[in-house]
């Protein structure tokens, strides 16, 4: 059996779903950030697989993946910094405790 | 590479770096207001200069005028500076100038990292400008991320406030998930078409395959998250309430308008045919926004949170113009976005003063504002009435354009919903006015600096002048709207 585009797309879809599940089910901010990272990486697999297997003339898919990696890192860096602030404010990074504002 | 096309972005980036450097150079005990002052002068100068950049109407059949348009691309169809982009950039710069004007006292008294506030605000502005010009999915993605990552940090800028850090984390999580969804959609569109430039995407017949349609759906859902369209709105009220007030103002005026600017270009340039199939669904979302935004706003005790729900409703009004999907509708959206800036500046400038001096923004904190700061109370009332669309103010002219545009396209029911809901919205806007004018006064006086006074007087003047004499702004929006829809 040869590994083709479909397998890569399935892998990416499964990864995306796992990441989404992590974001929705985990209560720790760091774990949620990891879920987000999984979702972003699923997209990168998608982009690169399309670029590899489809008859496209340019490398814009790979280019996009590079930019997505850089932006994902920036996002997670800000996320970790905010997790630190939450910890200083309330000595916990459980998102269930973030319930000051309602309505 | 045509660097003249991106002079605005280079200028804004330069000013942002200038703010960082000045913050390092100035001694610790020095006030940071001077940085804000320099930025205000530089940006308003550039705002006036941008009037000279508009080009005349472009006729696609005439090679000479098409060549003029090609000159406005920065690099291989990545980035286009047309009238549409110029108008939105002017709007963002104007919003930033007003925010800087009324924020300088707030920043000085409430925030700990002041120089960074100015630098990040300018970077967020840069992101918005990139979004307005983006004609390629990579550029859209980068502009969106530059804007939202700057806003994550700015939302958490109120050190020591638990609300602020909570709002920032909520914004970051929901914002990143929506980015991932948007990016997944872009990757599927890329898979279907093999291109990411809008002008090439729209030509491809493969867009109609299930892959392309799934991609478009996800891209639109990503945009709905960023625009806080119901049912993707749950982050907005908390973020608006927890963020520092000037940032809430920028989120409401700038971030929303930038999202709408990019979404209109994606819908009408990249997916022109499929975009039209989406219009009935968009109309339903629009009606949901107007109905639930206004109903939820009625129950709020905190004025900032009330304005958050009202901004969801306002996004609904602006989307009415997108549903119309013609030049009139686009003109109405731009007109409304501009006057929404003026109305927001009035309301949030007053709230920023109240929050800096009284500590919160509940109805109790603003009660008696008519005695403690009569100017602010008057400005706030006029601004809120403009948001509700009461005649002599600009809000009325804006809603008139929006609803006539959509009625012309046959969506009579949508205009009816919008009309009824804006009547209902008067109730909760006037609740604030009632608290300010009839509420108990605790005997205190609020101090208002010259900068805040200038910001509120200018914004109210603009609201009233545009309301009575909308002709000039309407001409400008007409010119800008004719760029890609006719």
């Amino acid at each position: 059996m040869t590994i083709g585009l479909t397998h890569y797309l399935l892998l990416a879809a499964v990864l995306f779903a796992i990441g989404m599940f992590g974001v929705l089910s985990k209560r720790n901010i760091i774990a949620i950030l990891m879920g987000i990272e999984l979702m972003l990486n699923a997209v990168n697999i998608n982009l690169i697989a399309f670029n590899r297997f489809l008859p496209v003339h340019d490398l814009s898919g790979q280019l996009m993946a590079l930019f997505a990696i850089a932006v994902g890192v920036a996002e997670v860096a800000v996320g970790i910094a905010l997790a630190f602030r939450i910890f200083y404010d309330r000595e916990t990074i459980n998102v269930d405790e973030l319930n000051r504002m309602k309505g | 590479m045509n660097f003249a096309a991106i002079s605005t972005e280079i200028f804004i980036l330069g000013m942002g770096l200038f703010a960082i450097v000045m913050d390092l150079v100035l001694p610790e005990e020095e006030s940071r207001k001077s940085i804000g002052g320099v930025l205000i002068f530089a940006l308003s100068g550039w705002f006036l200069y941008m009037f000279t950049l508009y080009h005349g109407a472009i006729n696609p059949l005439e090679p000479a005028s098409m060549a003029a348009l090609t000159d406005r691309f920065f690099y291989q169809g990545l980035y286009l500076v047309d009238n549409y982009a110029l108008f939105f950039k002017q709007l963002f710069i104007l919003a930033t100038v007003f925010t800087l004007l009324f924020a300088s006292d707030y920043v000085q008294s409430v925030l700990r990292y002041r120089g960074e506030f100015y630098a990040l605000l300018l970077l967020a502005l840069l992101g918005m400008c990139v979004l307005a010009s983006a004609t390629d999915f990579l550029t859209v993605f980068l502009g969106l991320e530059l804007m939202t990552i700057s806003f994550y940090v700015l939302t958490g800028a109120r050190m020591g406030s638990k609300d602020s850090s909570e709002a920032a984390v909520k914004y970051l999580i929901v914002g990143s998930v929506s980015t991932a969804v948007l990016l997944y959609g872009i990757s599927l569109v890329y898979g279907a078409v093999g291109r990411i430039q809008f002008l090439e995407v729209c030509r491809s017949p493969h867009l109609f395959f299930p892959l392309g349609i799934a991609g478009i759906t996800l891209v639109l859902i990503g945009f709905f998250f960023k625009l806080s369209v119901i049912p993707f709105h749950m982050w907005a009220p908390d973020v608006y309430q927890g963020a520092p007030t000037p940032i809430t103002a920028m989120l409401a005026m700038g971030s929303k308008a930038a999202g709408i600017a990019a979404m209109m270009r994606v819908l009408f340039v990249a997916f022109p045919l499929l975009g039209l199939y989406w219009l009935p669904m968009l109309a339903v979302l629009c009606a949901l926004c107007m109905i639930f935004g206004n109903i939820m706003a009625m129950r709020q005790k905190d004025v900032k949170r009330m304005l958050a729900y009202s901004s969801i409703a306002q996004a609904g009004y602006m989307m009415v113009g997108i549903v119309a999907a013609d030049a009139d509708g686009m003109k109405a959206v731009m007109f409304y976005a501009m006057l929404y800036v003026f109305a927001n500046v009035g309301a949030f400038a007053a709230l920023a003063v109240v929050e800096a001096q009284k500590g919160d923004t509940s109805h109790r904190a603003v009660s008696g504002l008519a005695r403690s700061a009569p100017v602010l109370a008057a400005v706030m009332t006029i601004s809120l009435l403009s948001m509700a669309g009461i005649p002599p103010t600009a809000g009325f002219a804006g809603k008139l354009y929006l609803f006539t545009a959509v009625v012309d396209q046959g969506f009579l029911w949508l205009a009816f919903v919008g009309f009824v809901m804006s009547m209902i919205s008067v109730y909760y806007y006037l609740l604030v006015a009632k608290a300010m004018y009839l509420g108990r006064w605790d005997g205190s006086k609020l101090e208002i600096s010259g900068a805040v006074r200038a910001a509120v007087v200018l914004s109210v003047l603009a609201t009233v002048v545009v309301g009575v004499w909308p002709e000039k702004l309407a001409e400008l929006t007409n010119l800008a709207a004719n760029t890609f829809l006719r």
Side-chain angles (χ1 to χ4, degrees), chain B residues 134-187:
Chain B
T135 48
D136 158 298
F137 281 114
L138 179 57
T139 324
V140 167
F141 169 65
L142 287 180
L144 204 60
E145 284 311 286
L146 183 54
M147 178 182 85
T148 42
I149 293 182
S150 308
F151 274 130
Y152 301 151
V153 182
L154 285 169
T155 305
R158 212 151 42 116
M159 286 288 170
S161 153
K162 287 185 179 177
D163 283 354
S164 177
S165 56
E166 178 178 330
V169 165
K170 283 179 177 168
Y171 191 19
L172 179 109
I173 292 173
V174 178
S176 314
V177 170
S178 73
T179 302
V181 172
L182 178 80
L183 209 50
Y184 200 80
I186 292 176
S187 81

Side-chain angles (χ1 to χ4, degrees), chain B residues 235-250:
Chain B
W235 58 275
D238 289 358
V239 171
Y240 279 46
Q241 187 185 354
T245 307
I247 298 308
T248 313
M250 269 315 273

Side-chain angles (χ1 to χ4, degrees), chain B residues 91-153:
Chain B
L91 186 151
F92 304 142
I93 292 181
L94 195 65
T96 313
V97 167
F98 273 125
T99 309
L100 287 169
L101 259 180
F102 76 77
S104 56
D105 292 319
Y106 182 93
V107 172
Q108 199 59 32
S109 60
V110 180
L111 300 187
R112 196 160 109 206
Y113 296 103
R114 298 172 192 125
E116 284 84 348
F117 172 86
Y118 292 115
L120 283 168
L121 193 60
L122 271 272
L123 290 183
L125 172 63
L126 179 62
M128 294 175 205
C129 289
V130 171
L131 264 182
S133 275
T135 48
D136 158 298
F137 281 114
L138 179 57
T139 324
V140 167
F141 169 65
L142 287 180
L144 204 60
E145 284 311 286
L146 183 54
M147 178 182 85
T148 42
I149 293 182
S150 308
F151 274 130
Y152 301 151
V153 182

Side-chain angles (χ1 to χ4, degrees), chain B residues 62 104 115 214 259 284 289 334 358 416 432 443:
Chain B
E62 212 175 285
S104 56
V284 171
C289 268
M334 293 184 199
K358 288 197 171 168
F416 182 72
V432 179

Side-chain angles (χ1 to χ4, degrees), chain A residues 13 16 36 43 46-47 50-51 54 56 60-61 64 71 75 79 85-86 89-90 98-103, chain B residues 145 156 158 160-163 165-166 168-170 172 176 183-184 186-187 190-191 194 196 238 241 305 309:
Chain A
F16 193 85
I36 290 168
V43 175
N46 243 357
L47 285 168
F50 279 133
N51 207 146
L54 291 182
V56 290
S60 42
M64 187 115 191
V71 168
E75 228 163 37
R85 266 213 59 197
I86 292 282
D89 281 349
R90 8 185 143 210
L98 303 180
N99 54 5
R100 284 173 59 89
M101 292 176 283
K102 276 186 189 150
Chain B
E145 284 311 286
R158 212 151 42 116
S161 153
K162 287 185 179 177
D163 283 354
S165 56
E166 178 178 330
V169 165
K170 283 179 177 168
L172 179 109
S176 314
L183 209 50
Y184 200 80
I186 292 176
S187 81
Y190 173 71
I196 49 175
D238 289 358
Q241 187 185 354
R305 201 174 172 84
Y309 278 109

Side-chain angles (χ1 to χ4, degrees), chain B residues 276-299:
Chain B
L276 297 181
Y277 281 106
W278 282 99
L279 292 181
M281 190 208 69
L282 211 58
V284 171
L285 284 180
C286 218
L288 279 179
C289 268
M290 291 190 283
I291 294 171
F292 288 102
N294 281 320
I295 287 178
M296 296 296 285
M298 272 190 251
R299 304 176 39 216

Side-chain angles (χ1 to χ4, degrees), chain B residues 346-470:
Chain B
F348 280 108
L351 278 184
V353 173
V354 171
E355 188 181 88
Q357 299 186 23
K358 288 197 171 168
D360 69 352
T361 53
S362 57
H363 275 164
R364 200 169 33 76
V366 297
S367 78
L369 194 69
R371 305 253 190 91
S372 53
V375 185
L376 293 186
V379 166
M380 183 115 151
T381 311
I382 295 175
S383 303
L384 292 180
L385 288 181
S386 175
M387 287 188 205
I390 300 297
T393 59
F396 174 70
K399 282 191 179 149
L400 191 67
Y401 284 134
L402 281 172
F403 294 149
T404 47
V406 83
V407 168
D408 282 345
Q409 297 298 318
F411 287 95
L412 189 60
W413 64 274
L414 193 60
F416 182 72
V417 170
F419 178 71
V420 170
M421 290 328 284
S422 40
M423 286 301 104
I424 288 177
S425 72
V426 175
Y427 165 73
Y428 61 82
Y429 288 131
L430 284 183
L431 272 189
V432 179
K434 178 180 159 228
M436 289 190 299
Y437 282 91
L438 306 174
R440 206 172 47 80
W441 178 42
D442 58 2
S444 64
K445 280 276 180 197
L446 292 183
E447 286 174 35
I448 312 170
S449 73
V452 174
R453 209 177 283 268
V456 295
V457 169
L458 280 177
S459 71
V460 159
L461 215 61
T463 303
V464 175
V465 167
V466 172
V468 178
W469 187 56

